[in-house]
Every structure is written in structure tokens, then in C-alpha cells.
Amino acid sequence: MSDYVLFQMWGPFRQSLIAGHLFYVEQARKRLFSQFDDIESEADKAAENWLEQSSHRFDPDRHDPGSFYEAANEVGVEFYGLLSDMRDQTRLSVVAGMFHEWDKQLRGWLVQEIKHWHLGDNTTLKVWSADFGDIADLLECIGWQIRCTRYFPTLDACRLVVNVYKHGEGKSLVDLRQKYSEYLDDPFQSTFGCISGFEFRDHTHLKVSDEQFQAFSDAIVAFWQDVPESVFSSQTTDVPGWFEKAILSDQAKQQQVSRK
């Protein structure tokens, strides 16, 4: 039986994928994240502005100066909290865009490579609709033990973070809580000096630090660098049931058409 190439990662295409990803990350830091570099000073400025705008209401015979400064401080604290939330939401939004682009590029590459040796709409649709675990099964059947790589847990965590960010409550939140609870912020950690029970944490506690964002980015780069240059048919083992069924469905459809 002849041996032929099933999947091939062309060198320049690999580099273009990595370069495009790194550009996205760099520009997100430069154009989005940098706007939140000095929110402490902005919060102080908001408090100062409130004092200036409220000075005409201050009556030294009736008002305590301390209460005015306390109110200004509350304004600053609220402003800081709102900006912090916006910063966190911006980072999550960028993570979602980064993951979805990687996911689409991976599936697109798989589909284009499959079309070199198999034609059929059903297989194409199945690759695009398969869940993350199914895609991992497909990659492993061609000899790439991706679940054993150091970056796979990070990609898996990124997937769950994005799903929780999009959908809130659900299975992804349960999985994230059980497997990667470090992405669910514990508001009591700084108070008590340790991480408390995570059962109470829900989608509103979802948070990605700058270091975690960088880890997600590094995992995507490592993934593209690790894609095998060529995968031959002789390397395949235990084709996933969903993929085999899609291939057979396309073949049956083609046979029906040829009989007409």
C-alpha cells in the first residue's frame, strides 16, 4: 500500500501564522493594555476633580473638611475599581480574540490539507464543528501526542477561560473551577493570606493576569512551532470515530452520485 502525505506544514506558512499572532499580541499591549498602565494616578485625578467641582458647595461653618476629603477619596476608589474592571474585561476580550483566531487557523489548515486527499462537505463541516477534545484526538491519531506537551494544559485552560467569558455559568465553568481555579480570582486571598475554598467562585470572578495572558500567547507559538512538517498515512493510528464516520459518509454520498 502506497504511503502518502496527509498533512503538511509549509515553512513560510508556519512563520506567517506565528508572525501574525505575535503582531496581534504586540499591538494589543501597545494600543489597549497600555491605556491602563497608570490607573492609580487617574483615580487620584478623579478625586481631585471632584474636590474642585464640589468646592463651591463647601461651607466652613456647616461642613467638616474631613468629610469632603473622605467623599473625594470614595470617588477615587470607585473610579479605580471601574477602570480595573475595564482593564480585566479588555484583557479577557483580547484573550478570546487570540484563542478564536488560533482555533480557526488550526481548523482551516486541517481542512485545506484534507482536501488534498479527500473531498466531501461532511468531513469539512465535522472538522469545523468538532469540539476541542475531538480535534486533539485527530492530531494524536497522526502521531502527534499533543496532550503530552507542556503547552497543552495552557491551551486547554485558555479554551475554558474563553468559554466562561462568553457564556458564564455552564460546564466550562465547572471544568475551570476543578482544573484551573487560578483563573477565578479569590477576593479574600489578600485579606486572609491564602486561597480560600473555590466553590463559591463563579463567572464574575474570572480574571487573567498579564503573566497568564503571556503564557497563553507562548502556548500558541509553541503549538505552531511544534506542528509536524509532514505527516504520512503510515503514521496514522486509531482514527477517531467521528472523523472516520464523516469520511465514510462522504464516500457513500459520492458513490450514490456516481451510480446516477
Side-chain angles (χ1 to χ4, degrees), residues 9-21 224-225:
M9 175 57 71
W10 188 46
F13 180 59
R14 185 199 307 272
Q15 293 306 314
S16 71
L17 291 170
I18 294 174
H21 167 74
W224 286 128
Q225 290 174 333

Side-chain angles (χ1 to χ4, degrees), residues 75-126:
V75 168
V77 170
E78 180 183 23
F79 189 88
Y80 180 86
L82 291 172
L83 272 186
S84 294
D85 289 342
M86 182 177 289
R87 176 195 59 198
D88 295 341
Q89 291 300 309
T90 298
R91 188 177 289 130
L92 285 168
S93 178
V94 171
V95 168
M98 180 173 70
F99 179 83
H100 286 313
E101 184 65 13
W102 166 76
D103 185 62
K104 287 185 292 184
Q105 289 172 338
L106 169 59
R107 294 169 194 265
W109 171 71
L110 288 171
V111 165
Q112 289 303 312
E113 293 302 302
I114 290 170
K115 286 181 178 178
H116 291 309
W117 46 270
H118 172 80
L119 296 178
D121 294 338
N122 193 49
T123 300
T124 295
L125 291 174
K126 286 297 183 181

Side-chain angles (χ1 to χ4, degrees), residues 236-253:
T236 60
T237 58
D238 300 324
V239 177
W242 67 269
F243 188 72
E244 181 180 18
K245 186 181 296 185
I247 293 286
L248 293 176
S249 177
D250 283 331
Q251 291 175 346
K253 185 177 180 179

Side-chain angles (χ1 to χ4, degrees), residues 52 60 134:
E52 292 177 4
D134 288 339

Side-chain angles (χ1 to χ4, degrees), residues 124-182:
T124 295
L125 291 174
K126 286 297 183 181
V127 170
W128 279 108
S129 63
D131 63 30
F132 187 72
D134 288 339
I135 295 298
D137 290 340
L138 179 60
L139 296 177
E140 294 203 328
C141 90
I142 63 177
W144 182 12
Q145 299 303 308
I146 189 172
R147 287 187 173 90
C148 297
T149 63
R150 57 181 173 76
Y151 50 81
F152 181 82
T154 306
L155 291 175
D156 188 40
C158 188
R159 172 185 66 89
L160 293 175
V161 165
V162 171
N163 284 345
V164 173
Y165 174 60
K166 287 179 58 181
H167 305 295
E169 301 292 328
K171 184 179 183 302
S172 290
L173 177 61
V174 174
D175 291 344
L176 187 69
R177 191 185 289 133
Q178 292 177 345
K179 298 170 65 177
Y180 313 108
S181 61
E182 62 268 26

